[in-house]
């Protein structure tokens, strides 16, 4: 893997480990990319381990961000995330129930059943059997 | 790095960033490098922690940021100290001296008191 790809994967891992996408986290990722580029240029970096050593591991940077980020924004993000999760579950549940009802209805419609009945006329003779559906 | 050192840095980072920006506009990497170089490698700060302080200072209007093109495509974000930031810097610097002096008095450390009086 080339250094450029390794740096991209390093930055993506940080983004993943930050968990919440806020205005600040997006800005941090951009600034971090620029800083890494400056560092690579100034120090003639050839290996990703040099970047990890200077900037810290992905988890260290993410932990640093979460420890210093505005707690109110993170809480709001957490709430929004939970709300979205609940909504998604609810939508899936409603869709599931709807689908089940639709399937049962269609099965009932196709599997028609009938009752054969004999009608005995007053004179005792049996008329033709009818089929009630 | 101990938790105490981290907390201490968090409390002083604003003041140090504003101090560095008094001389000239700087970009993020220059600030982290200045911290490291001027403190002989003792005062280092994580990128995330540093940038969060910078974003907060921008939000409060004490500093402003602008982008400069480096090379063909790459952009660098520079930070500039505003007048309100200068005032804020002087205020927190005074507070820092008052607090540090009181701590030195409580600890009864003449060496710290002497440094502060210079």
């Amino acid at each position: 893997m080339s250094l450029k790809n390794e740096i991209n994967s390093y930055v993506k891992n940080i983004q993943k480990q930050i968990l919440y996408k806020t205005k600040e986290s997006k800005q941090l990722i951009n600034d971090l990319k620029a800083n890494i580029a400056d560092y690579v240029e100034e120090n003639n970096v050839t290996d990703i381990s040099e970047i990890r050593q200077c900037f810290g591991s992905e988890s260290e940077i993410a932990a640093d961000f979460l420890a210093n980020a505005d707690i109110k924004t993170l809480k709001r993000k957490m709430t929004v995330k939970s709300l979205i999760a609940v909504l998604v579950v609810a939508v899936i549940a409603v869709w599931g129930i709807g689908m089940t009802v639709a399937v049962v209805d269609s099965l009932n419609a196709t599997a028609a059943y009938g009752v054969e009945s004999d009608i005995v006329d007053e004179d005792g003779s049996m008329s033709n059997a009818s089929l009630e559906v | 790095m101990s938790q105490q050192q981290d907390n201490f840095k968090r409390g002083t980072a604003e003041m140090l960033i504003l101090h560095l920006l008094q001389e000239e506009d700087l970009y993020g990497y220059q600030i982290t490098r200045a911290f490291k170089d001027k403190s002989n490698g003792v005062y280092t700060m994580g990128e995330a922690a540093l940038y969060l302080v910078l974003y907060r200072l921008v939000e409060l209007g004490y500093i402003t940021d602008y982008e400069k093109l480096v090379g063909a495509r790459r952009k660098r974000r520079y930070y500039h100290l505003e007048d309100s930031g200068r005032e804020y810097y002087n205020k927190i610097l005074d507070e820092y001296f008052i607090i540090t002096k009181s701590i030195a008095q409580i600890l009864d450390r003449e060496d710290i008191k002497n440094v502060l009086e210079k």
Side-chain angles (χ1 to χ4, degrees):
Chain A
M1 202 193 271
S2 71
L3 182 65
K4 196 181 165 190
N5 288 342
E6 281 183 313
I7 292 172
N8 282 341
S9 129
Y10 171 78
V11 173
K12 269 186 190 162
N13 281 339
I14 296 168
Q15 213 164 358
K16 261 189 222 164
Q17 291 185 34
I18 283 179
L19 300 172
Y20 303 103
K21 266 194 185 169
T22 61
K23 190 182 136 203
E24 286 176 336
S25 72
K26 284 179 206 162
Q27 207 176 340
L28 173 72
I29 294 297
N30 287 335
D31 287 329
L32 198 58
K33 279 182 194 166
N35 273 7
I36 293 171
D38 282 326
Y39 181 77
V40 169
E41 200 177 271
E42 281 182 27
N43 298 282
N44 203 16
V45 175
T46 54
D47 197 275
I48 189 74
S49 61
E50 293 172 58
I51 290 167
R52 273 205 187 89
Q53 203 176 354
C54 175
F55 293 89
S57 71
E58 292 92 322
S59 52
E60 279 170 344
I61 296 177
D64 197 23
F65 176 83
L66 293 170
N68 291 283
D70 180 22
I71 204 80
K72 278 183 197 163
T73 314
L74 286 185
K75 268 188 179 172
R76 202 169 51 235
K77 279 276 163 188
M78 280 165 79
T79 319
V80 171
K81 229 177 175 179
S82 335
L83 272 175
I84 290 170
V86 168
L87 267 175
V88 168
V89 170
V91 166
I92 291 171
V94 168
W95 179 80
I97 293 167
M99 284 302 284
T100 311
V101 169
V103 167
V104 168
D105 271 357
S106 72
L107 284 175
N108 285 345
T110 52
Y113 61 90
V115 177
E116 209 170 303
S117 58
D118 292 329
I119 300 165
V120 181
D121 292 337
E122 280 176 2
D123 58 359
S125 65
M126 279 178 59
S127 69
N128 206 9
S130 67
L131 191 68
E132 290 172 13
V133 178
Chain B
M1 194 62 55
S2 72
Q3 184 65 44
Q4 282 83 352
Q5 276 197 33
D6 274 349
N7 289 340
F8 191 74
K9 278 182 198 170
R10 227 169 278 158
T12 50
E14 273 190 359
M15 183 178 72
L16 297 179
I17 290 170
L18 294 173
H19 172 77
L20 291 175
L21 290 176
Q22 289 204 112
E23 298 291 316
E24 57 178 328
D25 294 355
L26 298 169
Y27 56 92
Y29 179 62
Q30 282 181 309
I31 298 173
T32 41
R33 215 182 39 196
F35 276 174
K36 203 174 170 183
D37 293 347
K38 285 178 187 277
S39 70
N40 296 321
V42 177
Y43 196 104
T44 54
M45 230 185 150
E47 299 288 314
L50 173 90
Y51 274 104
L52 286 169
V53 177
L54 284 169
Y55 302 156
R56 205 160 38 236
L57 289 170
V58 170
E59 211 176 298
L60 293 165
Y62 296 142
I63 60 174
T64 46
D65 57 348
Y66 61 93
E67 284 181 341
K68 232 185 198 179
L69 204 61
V70 187
R73 289 193 328 178
R74 199 148 59 83
K75 281 176 187 169
R76 244 182 217 153
R77 191 188 302 276
Y78 280 80
Y79 294 93
H80 171 80
L81 182 66
E82 294 295 332
D83 288 342
S84 60
R86 227 174 274 276
E87 276 173 35
Y88 179 64
Y89 166 72
N90 289 329
K91 190 183 148 212
I92 56 175
L93 188 66
D94 285 346
E95 283 171 2
Y96 169 77
F97 276 117
I98 291 168
I99 293 288
T100 316
K101 211 171 171 183
S102 349
I103 292 170
Q105 276 164 348
I106 294 166
L107 294 173
D108 202 20
R109 290 283 299 259
E110 285 303 320
D111 51 349
I112 306 175
K113 277 191 246 173
N114 291 339
V115 168
L116 290 169
E117 269 155 27
K118 270 181 194 171

